[in-house]
Amino acid sequence: MGSAEAMVTARMAVDKKEEGNRVLAALGTNASKAVNQLYDYVIEEQALPFGRRAVERAAHSPAEIAAAIALVDGLVAPVAGEYRTMSLKEARLARLGIPSPSAEEPR
C-alpha cells in the first residue's frame, strides 16, 4: 500500500473519542491504524466485523450504576488471598488494574 492520500472523518461524542483513544493506546495502536484495519476487513470480507447494526453504548443513570454495584457486591464468592486485607474500594481498583491511592501510603 502507498502512503496515506485520503482522510476519513467521523463524528462522535468527545468522551467516547477520549476513552476510545485511551483504550487504543493501551492496545498499542491509534485511531488511524484501527480505521485502516476496519477498512481492510470490510474490503476483504465484504462485511462488518461487528454485525449488521452497531450497538450504541447506553448511558446509565447513577441509580442504575448503584443497583449494578449492589448486585455484584451482594454476590457471595470466596475471597482471593490477595484481596483479604483490602478495603472494598481497594479491591475494586485492584480488579480493574488501577493502583490504589492508599497503596502508596504506609499502613
Side-chain angles (χ1 to χ4, degrees), residues 44-101:
E44 186 173 322
E45 300 296 327
Q46 297 291 301
L48 293 171
F50 38 77
R52 291 189 57 102
R53 231 175 5 153
V55 178
E56 287 291 319
R57 288 179 47 184
H60 297 288
S61 70
E64 290 172 316
I65 293 169
I69 290 171
L71 173 70
V72 171
D73 288 346
L75 298 174
V76 178
V79 177
E82 65 184 283
Y83 298 111
R84 289 184 196 274
T85 60
M86 294 181 182
S87 69
L88 182 58
K89 181 178 179 179
E90 290 170 330
R92 285 180 180 155
L93 291 172
R95 288 188 313 224
L96 294 171
I98 301 170
S100 172

Side-chain angles (χ1 to χ4, degrees), residues 1-19:
M1 295 229 156
S3 64
E5 298 174 9
M7 182 180 285
V8 175
T9 303
R11 297 213 179 270
M12 66 183 70
V14 172
D15 58 336
K16 182 190 286 189
K17 177 186 176 213
E18 290 171 353
E19 183 178 352

Side-chain angles (χ1 to χ4, degrees), residues 35-50:
V35 170
N36 271 289
Q37 289 176 336
L38 170 64
Y39 270 64
D40 290 342
Y41 182 92
V42 169
I43 291 166
E44 186 173 322
E45 300 296 327
Q46 297 291 301
L48 293 171
F50 38 77

